[in-house]
Structures are given as structure tokens and as C-alpha cells.
Amino acid sequence: MAVLRWLTPRRRSATARSVLAGEASAEAARKSAEAAEAAESAQETDSGVAEPEFPVHGDERAAAFFDLDNTVMQGAAIFHFGRGLYKRKFFETRDLARFAWQQAWFRLAGFEDPEHMQDARDSALSIVKGHRVSELKSIGEEIYDEYMAERIWPGTRALAQAHLDAGQKVWLVTAAPVEIAQVIARRLGLTGALGTVAESIGGVYTGKLVGEPLHGPAKAEAVRALAAAENLDLSRCAAYSDSHNDIPMLSLVGHPYAINPDSKLRKHARELEWRLRDYRTGRKAAKVGIPAAAGVGAVAGGTAAAIALHRRRR
């Protein structure tokens, strides 16, 4: 303020007002920034309480398990797969209409209806019967590029990448055919996938399943079996899903997340104070970077699926 001594009273008054205006403006900007930061922090969880740092870097006994349909990807993988098979003349127009109706139901209802999902699996099994496993795997790569890649939720992918960056393994756990799940996991740079296993003899699909679909409680058993095989501590692991059908899997881990949850899962998550994320409206986006093209080699999911199926039979 020493400079004010050399100014006329009128100029001194004007300069003082300018200084005060500048200081007031700076203070207002600082408070605005603090308020914005506080609001952003409050949006990280539904409760408004900032979360501790997670995942924990270097925790080798921790891993993450992600449901696929409507958690990692918009819609259901089996329906997108059906569209790709129709394009390649695997079945007739009437079958495509059924696939389209099932997909529309899934998107509008926002949850997995057991009857619709079972019908979709039965349709897929009948369609692939007699085809070679290698053929379907190759086609799966093409279908991912055509119908699935653009439907990956960036927010969920960022969560998965955060676990990978922390040095943890990340697995898809889905009722979709394991061959599809493996393609998606590899394309996203994940560790591998647990999925429903279709029976094949001599490399040719028979139209039957090995065991049961990996759905509901079966997912929890598969995760438990994989955790035992990988020497994981489930209390340090995380699981992510949109569906109340996956509450058994979410309940296994110490860090359950409800992602784009259906109404039943949202209610359950609120009651148990589980973390919530909803990427359908762009709210509560994860504060981690979205990864570039995946470059990490995927571990085959079939081995882990076989472990789970074997232990279910025991």
C-alpha cells in the first residue's frame, strides 16, 4: 500500500477501491473453487462422504470382479452376438425379431429377467449347434468391433483400469458364453473371464451346456472358487454389478459396488451403504482416467470357469 502515499486523494481513493475490488474478486474465486471441489467430492458417493483411496496399490491378494451386461457394457452381450450371427446368415429373420424384442426388454426394464435370459441362451445354443468352437471365436472378434466396442461404459472401464494400474487382476463374471466373455476381456485388457460354458465334442458345439448358466448364486460360487485358486483375500477384493441377481457375488467381497443399479439393487445397496455409480446419466463419474487401447494379454477364462464348475459338482 506504500504506493498510495504518492497519489492524490482522489486517485488514492480510486486505486484503493481497485485493490479492494481485486482482493474481493480473488477471494470470491477462491471460495468458488473450494465450493466446486467440495461439490465434486460430495458426488463421489451417494452419501456425500469422500471415499478413502481405492484400490490399494500393490495389494496382490486383491482383485476385481465385474459383471458384464449393463455394468461394463450397455445391453446384453448375447443379444449383440445374435445380431452378428444373423448378419452372417446363421439363422432366419424371425429369430432376429425375437433377439430384438429380448434386447428391447432388457434395455427398457433395466434388469435381467430370468425368462428372457433363458430364452436367449436356448436360442443361442440351438443356433451354434454343429458349428466349430474356433469358428465362433473368430466371429466373436468381428462382432465385438461391430456391435460391442461402442457400448462399453467409459466410467466402468475406468474403474477396471484403476485396478489394473494398481497391479491387481480384473475378471469379467457373466452369464454370457465364455468365448464371448474372453473376447471382451482381452479387448479391454482385463485378466480374463468367467462365463457360461457350452458343451463341445471334438471342437464342435453340441447345443448343450456344461453344468448350468453362470447366473446369480452360480457367479458367487465361481468367484469363490477362483479366489481360492488365486490365493485371494475376498475381504480385500471388489465386485461390480447392476443387477440384484448378483447380490450373492457382491456380498462375498469387502468392496461391493452397485453400477447402473436396478431398483432392487439400489435399495439393497443404500441399506448396506455400498458404493453406487450410475453412468447412464453421466453422474458420479469415477475420478480416474479412461484407458487407451488395451495392451495387456488376457488370461484364458475357460480354466477358471472349469474350476468353478468342478467345485460346484463336488
Side-chain angles (χ1 to χ4, degrees), residues 243-266:
S243 174
H244 68 280
N245 293 313
D246 288 338
I247 287 176
M249 177 180 75
L250 293 169
S251 300
L252 275 182
V253 301
H255 301 277
Y257 279 79
I259 305 293
N260 307 326
D262 61 36
S263 58
K264 290 183 180 180
L265 178 57
R266 182 178 291 275

Side-chain angles (χ1 to χ4, degrees), residues 46-103:
D46 279 13
S47 64
V49 178
E51 300 174 9
E53 184 177 348
F54 185 79
V56 178
H57 186 80
D59 187 355
E60 296 182 354
R61 297 200 64 199
F65 304 95
F66 283 79
D67 169 56
L68 176 58
D69 296 343
N70 215 35
T71 301
V72 171
M73 181 177 66
Q74 298 177 46
I78 190 69
F79 300 137
H80 300 313
F81 189 61
R83 292 174 63 193
L85 293 181
Y86 170 76
K87 180 180 177 181
R88 291 159 177 80
K89 311 298 184 183
F90 271 66
F91 54 89
E92 303 298 325
T93 303
R94 64 177 181 274
D95 297 306
L96 178 64
R98 184 168 69 251
F99 269 97
W101 160 245
Q102 291 164 340
Q103 171 68 357

Side-chain angles (χ1 to χ4, degrees), residues 136-204:
L136 269 294
K137 285 183 177 180
S138 177
I139 291 174
E141 298 281 353
E142 300 171 4
I143 292 175
Y144 176 85
D145 291 327
E146 293 170 1
Y147 299 111
M148 300 180 183
E150 64 183 12
R151 290 177 170 82
I152 301 298
W153 292 109
T156 312
R157 186 177 182 184
L159 290 172
Q161 188 63 39
H163 285 279
L164 293 170
D165 291 343
Q168 297 177 7
K169 293 182 178 180
V170 178
W171 302 83
L172 288 181
V173 187
T174 174
V178 69
E179 290 83 3
I180 298 175
Q182 288 172 352
V183 168
I184 297 170
R186 183 166 50 77
R187 290 300 191 91
L188 295 179
L190 309 184
T191 307
L194 292 162
T196 298
V197 179
E199 182 184 72
S200 63
I201 297 177
V204 178

Side-chain angles (χ1 to χ4, degrees), residues 2-24:
V3 69
L4 297 181
R5 294 167 50 198
W6 305 101
L7 302 175
T8 64
R10 181 176 296 178
R11 292 182 63 191
R12 183 184 305 163
S13 176
T15 303
R17 288 197 299 271
S18 296
V19 171
L20 288 174
E23 290 178 347

Side-chain angles (χ1 to χ4, degrees), residues 29-44 48 50 287:
R30 186 182 65 82
K31 289 183 177 180
S32 176
E34 289 179 349
E37 184 177 353
E40 184 179 359
S41 177
Q43 286 182 352
E44 290 183 16
K287 293 177 65 178

Side-chain angles (χ1 to χ4, degrees), residues 277-313:
R277 293 286 186 275
D278 198 328
Y279 299 120
R280 292 168 295 193
T281 60
R283 293 182 291 111
K284 292 178 281 297
K287 293 177 65 178
V288 290
I290 299 172
V296 181
V299 177
T303 302
I307 293 172
L309 290 168
H310 174 70
R311 296 201 177 190
R312 282 205 298 274
R313 294 193 188 101

